[in-house]
Amino acid sequence: MGAGGRAVQSATKRVETDPLKRVPVSKPPFTLSQLKKAIPPHCFQRSVIRSFSYVVYDLTIAAFLFYAATSYIPMLPPTLSYLAWPVYWAVQGCILTGVWVIAHECGHHAFSDYQWLDDTVGLILHSGLLVPYFSWKYSHRRHHSNTGSLEKDEVFVPKQKTGIRWYSKYLNNPPGRIFTLITTLTLGWPLYLAFNVSGRHYDRFACHFDPKSPIYSDRERFQIFISDAGILAITYGLYRLVVAKGLGWVLCVYGGPLLVVNGFLVLITFLQHTHPSLPHYDSSEWDWFRGALATVDRDYGILNKVFHHITDTHVTHHLFSTMPHYHAEEATKAVKPILGEYYQYDGTSVFKAMYRETKECMYVEPEEGEDQNKGVYWYKNKI
């Protein structure tokens, strides 16, 4: 461990058996530079060959699943085919979520040392999943620049109590929470892209497909056109497939897995940034370092590997977003002793966690009686 790590070894260790314990909101006793020195230097090196190996690996599995599904499921009796297709959707959706994560790495310039290569690979992979690559890249970059900020964060920005909808009290029950989860996981991603639902408040309509959207600066607008062109190209390709193969075939082969991908990326992001122990800050308290630490690592079991560890190394990712995913586990192990109480990990079952967070994290408010921390907001659920 580097000298920076030795200087702060006295930092209090996180009690991982109590994942709901609130993280500290005071200025950390360590710096970003000290964290970086604690990480082996090779963790920051990006390899074109290694990065492409993950692309080839994921796409090879996806191609095999496509071949198996289209070749053998139609041969099954109708009853069995109705069971086989959802299995294909789930497995293929998980593999394609891994592809989505690699394109996400491209957006962070974590794929290679060449920006043009990152953008080319990212545009192709994301377009194939109907994601506007450059549009998302720039809004996501702002999310990383403003994580934990109530005014400037870009995604899953919590409402204050005065901003919750009138119908929220009718959904604050088990059936309502399940309905909310299903709606969020199925419609959340397209609604975010098209209407900025759950995103930052803008003074006018914000849309990821609109080059004139307030999300983007003038120098970024041309690339939004490129993103739209990628989406249109894939959409046209899907139209031609519908003409040739039929709508049912396209929905079974492509639509089902895509629905799973969209659901997972919403779930992953939701659980990374929504937790009873995590604070949010207004402009009087927010700073980048504490905001970047206001996230949580989760355990998805075997899917951690399938998703290239975006799930269980997210804290490190927010601190060093250009680090490739294949070094994130090692880097996380290196910084955890230094982060101490500032590191948040929750091994709660994903199914249990998504219901608990939907129940407990309805809005944010400052803690009563803490005048010195009026700009620090915590999740509440009392309506």
Side-chain angles (χ1 to χ4, degrees):
M1 184 174 291
R6 293 195 297 269
V8 292
Q9 279 297 310
S10 61
T12 305
K13 291 185 178 181
R14 180 74 182 161
V15 182
E16 294 187 359
T17 56
D18 184 14
L20 298 183
K21 179 183 177 183
R22 289 179 174 177
V23 299
V25 296
S26 58
K27 182 179 179 180
F30 48 83
T31 65
L32 185 66
S33 177
Q34 287 172 324
L35 293 176
K36 187 173 183 178
K37 289 178 181 178
I39 299 172
H42 71 264
C43 289
F44 296 95
Q45 296 174 1
R46 297 164 290 201
S47 166
V48 172
I49 294 176
R50 189 168 182 182
S51 293
F52 264 115
S53 73
Y54 287 96
V55 177
V56 173
Y57 181 79
D58 283 354
L59 292 182
T60 299
I61 295 176
F64 170 78
L65 291 171
F66 167 80
Y67 171 77
T70 55
S71 298
Y72 297 107
I73 293 181
M75 299 171 59
L76 296 174
T79 302
L80 290 180
S81 68
Y82 293 145
L83 297 175
W85 279 118
V87 173
Y88 163 75
W89 299 340
V91 178
Q92 184 74 292
C94 289
I95 298 301
L96 293 179
T97 300
V99 174
W100 195 101
V101 172
I102 293 174
H104 157 269
E105 292 241 314
C106 293
H108 280 293
H109 194 20
F111 186 83
S112 74
D113 292 333
Y114 309 100
Q115 186 68 66
W116 67 268
L117 181 60
D118 288 19
D119 286 341
T120 302
V121 174
L123 178 64
I124 293 171
L125 296 181
H126 260 174
S127 295
L129 296 171
L130 295 183
V131 178
Y133 171 73
F134 288 108
S135 307
W136 172 85
K137 170 184 172 178
Y138 291 127
S139 67
H140 189 67
R141 177 183 295 175
R142 290 182 175 85
H143 158 63
H144 271 258
S145 298
N146 298 283
T147 306
S149 168
L150 286 175
E151 290 92 354
K152 295 184 178 181
D153 202 351
E154 286 286 346
V155 65
F156 281 115
V157 182
K159 291 180 171 57
Q160 297 182 43
K161 188 173 185 179
T162 55
I164 61 175
R165 303 293 187 179
W166 61 269
Y167 51 77
S168 296
K169 61 182 179 181
Y170 300 108
L171 297 175
N172 191 23
N173 52 67
R177 295 179 196 119
I178 293 173
F179 172 78
T180 299
L181 274 172
I182 293 174
T183 302
T184 301
L185 296 179
T186 55
L187 300 177
W189 178 241
L191 288 176
Y192 170 67
L193 291 178
F195 304 106
N196 200 39
V197 172
S198 84
R200 170 185 172 182
H201 172 74
Y202 286 97
D203 293 332
R204 58 189 179 88
F205 179 68
C207 171
H208 280 73
F209 302 102
D210 179 11
K212 295 184 179 179
S213 172
I215 301 173
Y216 309 112
S217 66
D218 289 340
R219 67 179 181 82
E220 296 165 346
R221 302 194 192 283
F222 176 72
Q223 290 181 310
I224 310 308
F225 280 112
I226 298 176
S227 296
D228 291 347
I231 298 298
L232 288 173
I234 298 300
T235 302
Y236 179 74
L238 291 172
Y239 164 74
R240 299 303 304 174
L241 278 175
V242 169
V243 172
K245 296 284 191 176
L247 179 61
W249 188 90
V250 172
L251 290 177
C252 284
V253 171
Y254 180 82
L258 185 66
L259 197 63
V260 173
V261 173
N262 292 350
F264 265 124
L265 69 93
V266 170
L267 177 63
I268 291 169
T269 308
F270 171 65
L271 291 182
Q272 286 167 342
H273 297 283
T274 308
H275 193 277
S277 72
L278 297 180
H280 282 75
Y281 304 93
D282 68 17
S283 57
S284 69
E285 281 281 348
W286 182 86
D287 63 71
W288 179 87
F289 198 22
R290 286 188 297 165
L293 291 171
T295 183
V296 57
D297 286 348
R298 303 275 191 170
D299 184 10
Y300 285 66
I302 192 174
L303 291 181
N304 288 330
K305 182 176 178 62
V306 177
F307 297 160
H308 304 302
H309 295 284
I310 195 175
T311 45
D312 58 338
T313 63
H314 192 67
V315 175
T316 298
H317 172 64
H318 262 269
L319 294 169
F320 306 103
S321 60
T322 59
M323 178 186 295
H325 67 85
Y326 40 81
H327 293 315
E329 281 188 287
E330 183 179 359
T332 296
K333 290 177 182 178
V335 300
K336 278 173 65 176
I338 302 175
L339 292 174
E341 287 187 306
Y342 289 83
Y343 173 75
Q344 178 60 297
Y345 168 84
D346 191 343
T348 303
S349 159
V350 170
F351 291 103
K352 181 179 178 180
M354 66 182 182
Y355 182 84
R356 182 190 67 195
E357 266 60 293
T358 302
K359 176 184 177 182
E360 301 293 336
C361 305
M362 295 188 67
Y363 61 90
V364 292
E365 276 192 333
E367 199 66 73
E368 293 183 9
E370 293 189 3
D371 293 339
Q372 71 275 23
N373 290 323
K374 282 187 175 181
V376 181
Y377 291 70
W378 299 98
Y379 281 109
K380 304 288 180 66
N381 69 344
K382 303 298 183 184
I383 298 181

